[in-house]
Amino acid sequence: MKITDSIMSLKGVGQKTATLFAKKNVYTIEDLLKFYPRNYLSYAEPVDIREAETGSRVAIEASIQSYVDVRKIRSLTLVTCQVKDGTGTVKLTWFNSPFLKKVFHVGQTFIFVGVLSVRNRQLVMEHPEYYTKEQYQRLLSSLQPVYPLTEGLSNKVVSKTVRAALSLLPELEDKVPEQVREDCGLMPLAQAVKGTHFPEGFDRLIDCRNRLVFDEFFWFLVHMRLIREQTVRAENHFVLQDFGAVEKFVHNLPFSLTKGQQDAFREIQADLSGHTVMNRLVQGDVGSGKTVVAEMAMLAAVANGYQAALMAPTEVLAMQHYEGIAKDMEPFGVRVEVLTGSTRAAEKRRIYNALAAGDIDIVIGTHALIQDKVSYQNLALVITDEQHRFGVRQRERLSGKGEEPHVLVMSATPIPRTLAIILYGDLDISVIKDMPASRKPIKNCVVGPKYRPTAYKFMLEQIQQGHQVYVICPMVEASDNVEAENVVEYRESLVDIFPGSVNIACLHGKMSAEEKNRIMQEFADGNIHILVSTTVVEVGINNPNATVMMIENAEKFGLAQLHQLRGRVGRGDAQSYCIMLCGTDRKEALDRLEVLNKSNDGFYIAGEDLKLRGPGDFFGVRQSGDMYFQLGDIYCNADMLKTAHDAVDKLEKSGFPLDTLVSGTEIYNIQL
Ligand code: ADP
Ligand code: MG
C-alpha cells in the first residue's frame, strides 16, 4: 500500500464509502490524512447530579439503583434504569439495546455522558454513553475528533478510516525545507497530522495545529513570491493616456468624491498610464464607495479604446452592478453587458461573439467571465469585487486571452496594513479611509426578543416614510432546507402582523438565481418594503433607500459578518438603524454584540473580535470567508503568518530556489 493509493485499499473501505468520501474531495490515503477535524469533543470531569445543567452535555458518576427494565413498545425495545449519586437520581433510557441488561448490575458505578432533560418532574438522560471509571479516566485527557461529514458518512466511520490510514503516515513527505523547520522550531509534519486527528490533550493539539497552519501560510506565501516575480516585471501593454471621459464622469456625479476615493483613483491612474501592468487592491470599509472608483477605471479603459470586465462573487451582485453601471455609462455611449451562469445559451453565444469582435466595452458577471470559452478583443482591465482569491490560476487564464491586463481587486475586509502587505504580496494597496460626508452614522441597538413588537412598530414607521427594511434570519447550520423554511415562515408571520399594504418578500440560497435576481430587482425598485433574507444579501448589495437592518439571533453570527450585514443600510443620506436581536442572555454573546453596538468601524471591530477570542479559539466564527485557509485564521494566527513570511523571506535571501519547492507538485492544503 502507498500513500497515493485510493482509500479503497484501506481495510473496510468499499466502493460505497469511497463514493461518500469523494464528496468531500478525499480520494487517496494522503487526502484522508489531510482531512482534518472541524471540531473536537472533550470529556469533562463528572459533576454532581444536583449541579448538572439540563439541556447540555454532561458527565455524571452514578451507581445503578434499580434493576434494568426492558420493555417492548411496538417494534422497539426500551431499556430504562435508575441511577443515583449522593445528590440525586436520574432515569436513563436507551432504545434497541436489550443487551444492556447484562452490562449493568445493581450497585455498580459508571460514568454516564449525555444531555439531561426533565420529564414528568424527573431528570432523564436519553441514550447516554457509558464508561467504567478507568475508561473514562483515559477519555478525560483526550479530545475526540469531529469531522466535516456528508449524509451517509458517519463520524465513527471517518475516525476509523483515518486511524487505519495512520499506518502510512511515515510516508507523508515534509516538503518544508529542513532549514526552515529548524529555524522555526517546527515539529515533524507526521506528528502534527496525527496529533490533529487524535490529540493528546488541548495544549498539544494547539501545537500540532500550529504546525499545519504554518504550512498553509508557508505554501501560500511561497506561491505569492513566485507570482510576484512574474507579475512585477510584466510590461504595461495597455498604456492609458486619455482621462477626459473620467473627468466628465466625475463632474456629472450627484456627489463629490471623498478624499479617499480621489487618492485611490490617482494611484490607479498612475498605474494605468505607467510602465508596468497594474495589480492593485482597493481596500475600503462597507459603504465607502468603491464601485464609483471601479467605474472610473473601467471608463478610462474604454475611452482609450479597450475593454474592461468586472467580476462579482454572486449573480445577485453581478446583476446589481450591471443595472447601476449600465445606467451610469449610458451618457458616454459605452456598451455594457452582463454574463452569468444563468444567462441563456443563445444570449451567451451572442455575448461571446460580441466580446471577441469588440462590440462590447464593459462586461459584468461572475466567474463565467474568465472561462476558456470567452475571448476578448482587447481586454485591458479586470476588476474583482469582494473576492480575494483572484489569484494565480485566474490570472493565468486571463493571460491566455491576450496580453496581461490590469487587475484591480476591491475589498471591504478590514485587514491591517501589515497583514495585507503579506497576504497580498503581489498587489499594491490603496485604502479608502473616509466615508461620504453626507452619511449619518448608523444607530445601533442590541435587544432581546421582547423588543420585537417595538421593532416592528418602528419598521412600519420607516416604511410609511418611504423607506425599506431588511430582516435577516440566521442560517441554520449545514441544512439549507431548514434555512429556507426559517425565512419563509418568518415572512408569513410578518404578513400576519403588518398591514396588507406592506409588501413582504423573502430571499434565500435555495431560490434559483433568476428568482433571486427578480426579488432583488423588485426590492431595488421599491416595490418590496420588507425583505426577509438569509445572509445571501451579505456582500455588496446596495439599496440606499433601505434604512433598517434587523438581525434575528444576532448572537449566531460572526462580528465581521454582522458588520457586513449592517453595511447594507446607511448607504444613502437618511438616518439608518441596525437592530440586533439577541436570543440569549449569555454574557459572552452580549459582550460580543456590544462591540458592534459601540462602533461602525470595521477595523476596530476586527481587532476587538480578536481580543474576545482566545488563541485556542480556532473554532469560533471565522472572521471572513474570503481569505480562506483551511485551518489558519489570519487574525488569530497573525503571529504565525508573520513567522511564515519571515521564513520565506530568509529562504529567498539565502538564494534558495523557491520554484523547486512547488514545481509540478501538488500544493499542500492550498488552493489559489
Ligand atoms: P462599497 O464601498 O460598500 O462597495 P458602494 O460603492 O456600493 O460602496 O457605495 C455605496 C453608496 O454610496 C452608493 O449608493 C454610492 O452611489 C454612494 N456613494 C459613493 N461615493 C459617494 C460619495 N463620495 N458621496 C456620496 N455618496 C457616495
Ligand atoms: Mg461594493
Side-chain angles (χ1 to χ4, degrees):
M1 215 174 2
K2 288 197 310 291
I3 198 162
T4 47
D5 284 351
S6 154
I7 49 169
M8 277 172 63
S9 49
L10 292 170
K11 204 171 137 245
V13 182
Q15 186 61 55
K16 199 168 140 248
T17 312
T19 311
L20 292 170
F21 270 114
K23 283 192 188 159
K24 289 282 167 192
N25 289 320
V26 173
Y27 303 96
T28 65
I29 297 176
E30 184 167 1
D31 295 339
L32 183 65
L33 288 171
K34 291 172 186 173
F35 184 62
Y36 301 120
R38 72 174 166 79
N39 205 345
Y40 300 86
L41 267 187
S42 63
Y43 289 82
E45 290 285 352
V47 293
D48 287 348
I49 291 174
R50 194 174 50 204
E51 308 286 325
E53 219 178 291
T54 56
S56 54
R57 200 175 126 93
V58 292
I60 55 171
E61 179 174 352
S63 62
I64 310 290
Q65 191 183 12
S66 69
Y67 287 101
V68 179
D69 182 54
V70 182
R71 208 174 305 169
K72 271 242 174 243
I73 306 177
R74 269 165 272 141
S75 61
L76 297 171
T77 16
L78 176 68
V79 177
T80 56
C81 127
Q82 196 87 16
V83 297
K84 64 165 184 189
D85 66 5
T87 68
T89 62
V90 176
K91 184 169 138 188
L92 309 178
T93 66
W94 290 267
F95 280 113
N96 294 340
S97 313
F99 60 90
L100 288 174
K101 194 167 174 62
K102 299 214 176 70
V103 178
F104 300 135
H105 301 286
V106 173
Q108 280 178 332
T109 300
F110 291 89
I111 316 287
F112 298 98
V113 183
V115 178
L116 269 186
S117 57
V118 181
R119 203 165 308 146
N120 299 329
R121 293 157 141 227
Q122 186 172 27
L123 281 174
V124 182
M125 199 183 259
E126 274 176 34
H127 247 281
E129 303 160 32
Y130 55 90
Y131 304 96
T132 63
K133 261 180 130 155
E134 295 72 39
Q135 283 170 335
Y136 199 72
Q137 208 54 45
R138 257 175 275 138
L139 274 182
L140 262 183
S141 56
S142 82
L143 292 161
Q144 301 299 309
V146 178
Y147 290 95
L149 301 173
T150 179
E151 202 172 317
L153 190 64
S154 74
N155 200 54
K156 209 165 155 183
V157 166
V158 180
S159 298
K160 220 176 80 190
T161 319
V162 172
R163 233 181 241 292
L166 286 183
S167 63
L168 284 179
L169 198 52
E171 278 187 34
L172 189 66
E173 193 192 343
D174 193 344
K175 298 199 182 91
V176 175
E178 178 90 51
Q179 180 196 336
V180 175
R181 276 183 265 158
E182 264 174 35
D183 277 358
C184 304
L186 301 180
M187 75 162 73
L189 180 64
Q191 198 179 322
V193 169
K194 179 165 186 241
T196 297
H197 284 292
F198 302 107
E200 297 154 14
F202 193 70
D203 292 343
R204 200 71 193 125
L205 168 63
I206 292 184
D207 291 344
C208 293
R209 275 184 81 102
N210 276 343
R211 161 71 218 247
L212 301 180
V213 168
F214 177 92
D215 279 36
E216 251 187 303
F217 290 157
F218 179 81
W219 292 116
F220 175 77
L221 294 169
V222 165
H223 264 86
M224 287 301 248
R225 211 49 78 101
L226 292 171
I227 302 160
R228 189 163 59 183
E229 271 176 16
Q230 292 164 13
T231 52
V232 160
R233 282 185 234 117
E235 190 190 330
N236 183 357
H237 288 277
F238 305 99
V239 181
L240 309 189
Q241 276 151 342
D242 180 359
F243 289 86
V246 177
E247 261 168 51
K248 201 166 147 216
F249 174 85
V250 172
H251 182 78
N252 286 355
L253 285 173
F255 45 74
S256 46
L257 294 179
T258 63
K259 181 166 181 308
Q261 286 169 320
Q262 286 172 25
D263 291 348
F265 189 73
R266 196 169 307 122
E267 290 170 336
I268 291 168
Q269 182 170 346
D271 291 345
L272 295 175
S273 53
H275 295 298
T276 51
V277 71
M278 171 170 78
N279 276 299
R280 182 170 292 278
L281 166 75
V282 174
Q283 207 184 27
D285 210 345
V286 278
S288 60
K290 295 183 289 294
T291 312
V292 154
V293 176
E295 285 181 294
M296 290 161 67
M298 291 194 287
L299 183 56
V302 174
N304 284 270
Y306 300 116
Q307 292 172 307
L310 172 69
M311 232 162 67
T314 64
E315 283 196 21
V316 169
L317 191 53
M319 283 311 290
Q320 177 194 286
H321 275 320
Y322 169 69
E323 306 281 341
I325 293 169
K327 208 166 79 207
D328 292 351
M329 293 295 156
E330 214 184 286
F332 298 88
V334 175
R335 295 158 298 179
V336 186
E337 297 275 0
V338 62
L339 182 67
T340 67
S342 61
T343 306
R344 292 189 201 286
E347 175 77 352
K348 263 188 199 153
R349 272 197 302 279
R350 182 184 68 76
I351 295 179
Y352 292 157
N353 288 335
L355 280 172
D359 294 337
I360 293 174
D361 302 312
I362 293 180
V363 64
I364 296 170
T366 50
H367 269 93
L369 291 186
I370 54 165
Q371 274 164 10
D372 294 336
K373 278 178 252 163
V374 191
S375 59
Y376 294 84
Q377 194 198 43
N378 52 13
L379 181 67
L381 169 67
V382 174
I383 303 185
T384 70
D385 190 18
E386 308 285 2
Q387 48 180 23
H388 303 179
R389 281 295 175 120
F390 186 74
V392 213
R393 200 172 292 159
Q394 282 96 334
R395 252 177 258 172
E396 265 167 11
R397 276 191 179 169
L398 278 173
S399 49
K401 298 183 189 300
E403 298 296 349
E404 192 172 317
H406 298 290
V407 171
L408 191 62
V409 176
M410 302 195 294
S411 159
T413 306
I415 301 172
R417 194 172 182 87
T418 47
L419 287 186
I421 289 170
I422 296 177
L423 286 167
Y424 303 112
D426 61 331
L427 299 178
D428 297 314
I429 304 174
S430 300
V431 183
I432 302 180
K433 286 211 185 78
D434 44 2
M435 287 284 172
S438 54
R439 280 301 154 65
K440 297 182 183 71
I442 297 168
K443 290 191 173 156
N444 303 300
C445 64
V446 179
V447 292
K450 273 208 217 99
Y451 183 83
R452 219 177 258 126
T454 317
Y456 291 159
K457 217 174 115 220
F458 180 73
M459 279 156 52
L460 184 58
E461 282 166 22
Q462 288 287 310
I463 292 164
Q464 283 162 347
Q465 287 171 30
H467 292 301
Q468 290 161 281
V469 172
Y470 294 95
V471 179
I472 305 295
C473 296
M475 182 151 47
V476 176
E477 189 170 60
S479 168
D480 291 341
N481 285 325
V482 182
E483 171 197 344
E485 209 170 76
N486 268 6
V487 172
V488 172
E489 274 174 21
Y490 197 100
R491 177 190 167 267
E492 277 160 17
S493 71
L494 288 189
V495 169
D496 291 340
I497 294 166
F498 282 82
S501 58
V502 175
N503 196 0
I504 309 173
C506 59
L507 187 75
H508 55 75
K510 281 265 149 152
M511 288 174 162
S512 70
E514 243 161 285
E515 179 102 14
K516 275 191 271 192
N517 290 334
R518 189 183 58 78
I519 301 257
M520 284 316 297
Q521 189 57 47
E522 293 265 304
F523 188 62
D525 293 344
N527 299 332
I528 291 170
H529 304 111
I530 304 180
L531 185 65
V532 182
S533 172
T534 57
T535 52
V536 290
V537 299
E538 182 185 345
V539 185
I541 294 302
N542 184 41
N543 178 350
N545 189 45
T547 53
V548 183
M549 166 60 68
M550 172 167 164
I551 305 170
E552 287 280 350
N553 288 103
E555 77 280 3
K556 297 231 162 100
F557 297 97
L559 291 190
Q561 202 174 18
L562 287 168
H563 180 61
Q564 268 288 345
L565 287 168
R566 174 169 64 187
R568 296 314 108 217
V569 297
R571 299 172 81 85
D573 294 342
Q575 176 64 56
S576 291
Y577 306 86
C578 177
I579 304 169
M580 291 171 268
L581 230 102
C582 183
T584 164
D585 32 64
R586 276 198 355 261
K587 186 168 177 307
E588 310 102 75
L590 291 167
D591 284 352
R592 254 164 35 87
L593 293 178
E594 188 52 30
V595 173
L596 276 128
N597 199 13
K598 268 206 308 247
S599 169
N600 290 323
D601 174 356
F603 275 92
Y604 171 81
I605 291 163
E608 287 302 297
D609 191 29
L610 182 56
K611 278 188 219 155
L612 288 172
R613 298 163 54 184
D617 185 11
F618 32 64
F619 309 114
V621 195
R622 267 178 188 277
Q623 256 304 320
S624 84
D626 38 28
M627 235 317 157
Y628 181 72
F629 292 95
Q630 194 192 351
L631 300 173
D633 178 311
I634 53 169
Y635 294 90
C636 288
N637 306 116
D639 291 346
M640 194 54 96
L641 185 56
K642 186 87 180 41
T643 308
H645 175 253
D646 293 347
V648 176
D649 244 7
K650 200 172 155 193
L651 260 191
E652 200 180 27
K653 289 210 178 91
S654 74
F656 193 102
L658 289 183
D659 52 343
T660 60
L661 284 176
V662 289
S663 56
T665 54
E666 252 243 291
I667 308 315
Y668 188 71
N669 255 346
I670 102 171
Q671 317 149 318
L672 281 169

